[in-house]
Amino acid sequence: MRCDLAVIGAGPAGLAAATRAAEAGLAVELFDEQPAPGGQIYRAVESVPAARRALLGPDYAAGAELAAAFRASGAGYRPGALVWNVDSTLDIDFSQGGRSRQCRARALVVATGALERPTPLPGWTLPGVTTAGALQILLKAHGCVPSEGAILAGSGPLLLLLADQLTRAGAPPRAVVETVPRGRLLEAARHLPAALGAPGYLAKGLRMIRALRRAGVPLHRHATDLVIEGREQAEALSFTAGGRRHRIESGLVALHQGVVPNQQVTRLLRCAHRWSDSQRCFLPVLDPWFESSVEKVFVAGDGAGIGGAASAALRGRLAALGVLRRFGALDGAALEQEAGGLRRRLVRDGAVRPLLEALYAPSAQVLAPADETLVCRCEEVTAGQIRQAVRLGCPGPNQAKSFLRCGMGPCQGRMCGLAVTEIIAAERGEVPQTVDYYRIRPPLKPLPLIELASFEAAEDQPGDAPPDAPPDDRDAA
Amino acid sequence: MGPLARADVVVVGGGIHGCSAALHCALRGLSVAVVEKNTVARHASGVNAGGVRRLGRHPAEIPISDFSMKLWRRIEALVDDDCGFQSAAQVKVAESEAELETLAERAALVRGLGFGHEELLDRRQLRDLLPAVADHCVGGLASLDDGFAVPYRATFAFQRKAQTLGVRFFEETRVRSLARDGRTWRLETDRGTLEAEAVVNCAGAWGNLVAESLGEPAPVEAIAPMMLVTAPLPAFCKAVVGATGRPLSFKQMPNGTVVIGGGRRGVADPETDRSDLRFAELRLTARTAAEVFPIMAGASIVRGWAGIEGRMPDDIPVIGPSTRAERVFHAFGFSAHGFQLGPGVGSIMAELVATGVTQAPIAPFSIGRFKATE
């Protein structure tokens, strides 16, 4: 199995990249874990009933057009396909339908989007504690809302959006508890003039806040010292706000501290990453065509740095243009003209980001968890153990991983990686860039041993003779 | 500008052999500096399968392996950390009568050398040790009093213990050249000069860089043995298991995860310190594991990895004094089975450095065996 371009992820970036490249005549294969296009943001967008679509709002419905254009583009599509390894020659190892095979690609667009930032807090591993993103997936994909009023706690635009969507679905949250510190709005306000240039985002935010007030959902601001209480199961959230301790009972607590790029594939490929102080996470180092430090590996969408769905689609198209440029498959002037238009829209859409990043910076409590708080859920390693390992001389996350097993469980460090980097950096008095991140090893997600035992490598797939060298296989300077 | 450091001994390489040699030199009262181009235990020492095995060793290695085993059994007294060491049987499984015959010959050979640790197992004895082994396995060879440890933890413990005795570690420091000036060895590094009276070369897959500069090149090949680890399974195997006719090293850790290795190789790039996995090879590892232990058909692989290791053409290490330069001693190229030898060989190196001689039978490991044939 071979293709010119492999795309991983069928969110807005992956759909846009695959569509644009296929339109230009490249043989494209898009791999996605979900059964239908849309990614997390537009999950189930092709099949969602009209009533739920109305509930989720016009921004969500916009995903349907992307999905339709992708379906019409002629790009190969592999739904339900988990890419579990990509090697340095761009052989893509994937599992689909219980079978693992290999596809040889000439270029790769990584469009694996964002993950919710880990939120290590006391009690965050109790049953009944979930994330805002997980609740939203249940709503989008299955029309499920919690039977008990959920507490939404943390920071970030998704918190308000979810509260609004749940309220309109008839399941208003019991409370929204925001951890944005007092005074942060004022600090962030210097980004306000720029943000006003972005279409519609601020108005949407204000509309949601008003709607929550009307619905009588309590909104607690500037909360600190969050503790999820409960023995076998979450029972309540307690926190300090307005100078006193609060306790709100619910068996369902959804945490959120914003989203961060999913680095698993780019780390696996050893792309260079840089620490972003404003987003408090690592971003792949990319050129203006979204190509990483590893040749022919492009990164689009939120995986390139959090920018939201509209920017993701624009970046996906730009990355596709980058691929076409690499292959010399598009005339230079036409390429520059199309890219110029996309870049201008990208600048406009991104104008709101500095405000959001400043306002919704993650709370100090999750960046520097208390010693007894579990950081690695898979292997049950606490923040205190990590600090102790640093005091013994562990210089970075990989040594802490070897020493304490943090990041060695089935999640491959997705749930603890950034927290471990931050804790080690703080303890050593270094910046996260110096401390760096876990080395990621395949498989990216757990793989049945018997499936690996019958793995079909490209060289032993029948009828997979090497294709004739494509005439356009020359790299642009 | 003065030198970066001056010591009695400079050890090149911060793997288990370098850290052990440094610790044992310090225990003999020598001042020691360790220079490591990455970080301690970055390669083979930090990521190997952790087997502490005497079973199946090259006859020349058996005495030093047996000596090292004695140190492993009191490892906590040596380094103030148990290194995750657990006493366990090492078992080599015979999958056919012909393989069992090979193992019987091996057992006789080891007995003939005067060592009693390798015992032949019949069908029933094999199942007493490995109740979950597949029906087709007819017997095996066991060393009942071997074990396993946690590689990074062990190497890190050697480093820390050495540090408490005053050993200085220069990590992220690369040796560029070495030259002798009178009785002083000068090692030029990218961060300054290290000066010492003696040099111990424990540079693993990079060991030839020192050897070659002394005019005694050794054909070290950088290899990347691959390993897999599963999600936890119910406890079913207490021994560390290998196969006779095909590569396998298999053990269930106390937390239920199963580590599977055995020498199938990925791609090693010693220039960039990188190693890549080859799943077309690892699928054979997965097949072997499931065939020897049917319970593995229900396992899921959580992670695969590889580390860069130095292999000699005859699969035994280089241990001993330089044949060209005075006061330089080699211990590298352990050919994917050096972890168990770490404590013992470090002690032998310190003896060599401090006294110039050792009673340990290390002649077969001399670098002189690779004399260029021009």
Short mmCIF file of all heavy atoms in Angstrom, two decimals, chain A residues 28 67 129 131 142 237 260 282 319 356 455:
data_model
loop_
_atom_site.label_atom_id
_atom_site.label_comp_id
_atom_site.label_asym_id
_atom_site.label_seq_id
_atom_site.Cartn_x
_atom_site.Cartn_y
_atom_site.Cartn_z
N VAL A 28 -3.95 10.44 -2.01
CA VAL A 28 -4.01 10.78 -0.58
C VAL A 28 -4.68 9.65 0.18
O VAL A 28 -5.65 9.06 -0.30
CB VAL A 28 -4.82 12.09 -0.37
CG1 VAL A 28 -4.91 12.42 1.11
CG2 VAL A 28 -4.20 13.23 -1.15
N ALA A 67 -16.59 18.29 5.57
CA ALA A 67 -16.74 16.84 5.41
C ALA A 67 -17.24 16.53 4.00
O ALA A 67 -16.76 15.59 3.35
CB ALA A 67 -17.68 16.28 6.47
N VAL A 129 -15.15 11.87 37.92
CA VAL A 129 -14.43 13.06 37.45
C VAL A 129 -14.07 12.84 35.99
O VAL A 129 -13.52 11.79 35.63
CB VAL A 129 -13.14 13.31 38.26
CG1 VAL A 129 -12.42 14.56 37.76
CG2 VAL A 129 -13.45 13.42 39.74
N THR A 131 -13.57 15.15 31.95
CA THR A 131 -13.13 16.44 31.42
C THR A 131 -14.28 17.07 30.66
O THR A 131 -15.20 16.39 30.22
CB THR A 131 -11.94 16.27 30.46
OG1 THR A 131 -12.39 15.62 29.28
CG2 THR A 131 -10.82 15.47 31.09
N HIS A 142 -23.57 11.34 20.78
CA HIS A 142 -24.64 10.45 21.21
C HIS A 142 -25.86 11.18 21.75
O HIS A 142 -26.83 10.53 22.13
CB HIS A 142 -24.11 9.49 22.29
CG HIS A 142 -22.85 8.79 21.88
ND1 HIS A 142 -22.83 7.83 20.89
CD2 HIS A 142 -21.56 8.95 22.27
CE1 HIS A 142 -21.58 7.41 20.71
NE2 HIS A 142 -20.80 8.08 21.53
N LEU A 237 -17.29 19.15 44.98
CA LEU A 237 -16.11 19.96 44.70
C LEU A 237 -16.04 21.06 45.74
O LEU A 237 -17.03 21.75 45.97
CB LEU A 237 -16.20 20.59 43.30
CG LEU A 237 -15.06 21.55 42.95
CD1 LEU A 237 -13.82 20.76 42.57
CD2 LEU A 237 -15.45 22.47 41.80
N VAL A 260 -4.04 21.56 24.53
CA VAL A 260 -2.63 21.68 24.11
C VAL A 260 -2.42 20.76 22.91
O VAL A 260 -3.16 19.80 22.73
CB VAL A 260 -1.68 21.27 25.26
CG1 VAL A 260 -1.78 22.27 26.41
CG2 VAL A 260 -1.97 19.86 25.75
N PHE A 282 4.46 22.59 24.53
CA PHE A 282 5.42 22.49 23.44
C PHE A 282 4.69 22.58 22.10
O PHE A 282 3.59 22.03 21.95
CB PHE A 282 6.18 21.16 23.49
CG PHE A 282 7.17 21.09 24.61
CD1 PHE A 282 6.88 20.40 25.79
CD2 PHE A 282 8.41 21.71 24.49
CE1 PHE A 282 7.81 20.33 26.83
CE2 PHE A 282 9.35 21.65 25.53
CZ PHE A 282 9.03 20.96 26.70
N ALA A 319 -0.89 23.59 4.58
CA ALA A 319 0.02 22.45 4.65
C ALA A 319 -0.06 21.65 3.35
O ALA A 319 0.97 21.19 2.83
CB ALA A 319 -0.32 21.57 5.85
N LEU A 356 -7.16 35.23 24.54
CA LEU A 356 -7.60 33.98 25.16
C LEU A 356 -6.46 33.32 25.93
O LEU A 356 -6.65 32.79 27.03
CB LEU A 356 -8.13 33.00 24.09
CG LEU A 356 -9.42 33.42 23.39
CD1 LEU A 356 -9.83 32.35 22.37
CD2 LEU A 356 -10.55 33.65 24.39
N PHE A 455 1.28 -8.73 11.76
CA PHE A 455 1.46 -7.43 11.10
C PHE A 455 1.93 -7.62 9.65
O PHE A 455 2.85 -8.39 9.38
CB PHE A 455 2.49 -6.64 11.90
CG PHE A 455 2.99 -5.38 11.25
CD1 PHE A 455 2.12 -4.37 10.89
CD2 PHE A 455 4.35 -5.21 11.01
CE1 PHE A 455 2.59 -3.21 10.30
CE2 PHE A 455 4.83 -4.06 10.42
CZ PHE A 455 3.95 -3.06 10.06
#
